[in-house]
Amino acid sequence: MKLGRLNHIGVATPSIAESIAHFTETMGASKIHAPFDLEEQGVKVCFVDTPTESGYDGTQIELIEPLSDASPIAGFLAKNPLGGQHHICFEVEDIEDARKWFEEQGKRILGPTRIGAHGTPIFFLHPKDMMGQLTEIMETPKEGAHWSN
């Protein structure tokens, strides 16, 4: 298994609209993707691109807002009412190879592999096995995936 680039940092927020204002007004972000609902995961998601010298292909910020009190993000926000860093996400070339690799390392995988916000397979690793950080592993997006729109 070969670890790929840091794709995004997930940030839980009570309000995507207020977070967009923060990233545009305070941080100077200029490329904000349209928010969309991921009902199967109970969240609304919005990606903020960070610029690089080559254009807008840097690490993204994934804003995550709960769709209801039943959302897993609602529990995070109950403990962190202002929001905050929720997870980090690394790309891998092959999600099944990565899953096998982490299982062989004895790392706990939270739930089944599923389709994430970028339209590619993902899984999460337990924070206690990842230096205290909830870690998402995602297959590198292919042409036409959500993040490149």
Side-chain angles (χ1 to χ4, degrees), residues 5 7-8 16 31-38 40 44-49 56 60-63 91 115-121 138-149:
R5 76 179 188 105
N7 180 279
H8 67 266
I16 282 180
K31 178 67 175 172
I32 311 289
H33 296 263
F36 61 97
D37 292 350
L38 266 180
E40 62 277 4
K44 178 183 292 275
V45 174
C46 178
F47 286 100
V48 178
D49 288 354
Y56 288 100
Q60 291 182 311
I61 305 298
E62 178 187 36
L63 301 174
E91 293 181 12
I115 300 301
H118 286 91
T120 64
M138 70 176 278
E139 196 163 273
T140 300
K142 308 300 185 257
E143 186 70 28
H146 181 269
W147 71 278
S148 63
N149 292 340

Side-chain angles (χ1 to χ4, degrees), residues 20-144:
I20 288 171
H22 169 77
F23 276 98
T24 56
E25 296 167 12
T26 303
M27 302 301 292
S30 59
K31 178 67 175 172
I32 311 289
H33 296 263
F36 61 97
D37 292 350
L38 266 180
E39 292 186 22
E40 62 277 4
Q41 294 182 32
V43 295
K44 178 183 292 275
V45 174
C46 178
F47 286 100
V48 178
D49 288 354
T50 62
T52 65
E53 290 179 344
S54 64
Y56 288 100
D57 57 356
T59 300
Q60 291 182 311
I61 305 298
E62 178 187 36
L63 301 174
I64 315 162
E65 178 183 329
L67 288 175
S68 73
D69 290 340
S71 169
I73 297 300
F76 180 92
L77 289 172
K79 295 176 188 171
N80 307 279
L82 296 177
Q85 182 180 328
H86 181 260
H87 67 273
I88 58 175
C89 176
F90 292 98
E91 293 181 12
V92 295
E93 291 180 20
D94 185 295
I95 197 76
E96 292 308 318
D97 285 349
R99 188 176 180 102
K100 182 178 175 188
W101 166 265
F102 286 111
E103 287 172 340
E104 288 172 353
Q105 301 295 316
K107 306 302 181 192
R108 288 171 280 183
I109 297 174
L110 303 173
T113 299
R114 61 187 187 269
I115 300 301
H118 286 91
T120 64
I122 66 163
F123 63 82
F124 285 89
L125 295 159
H126 197 290
K128 290 183 179 179
D129 294 338
M130 301 301 290
M131 300 176 56
Q133 181 63 61
L134 179 61
T135 303
E136 179 181 356
I137 303 297
M138 70 176 278
E139 196 163 273
T140 300
K142 308 300 185 257
E143 186 70 28

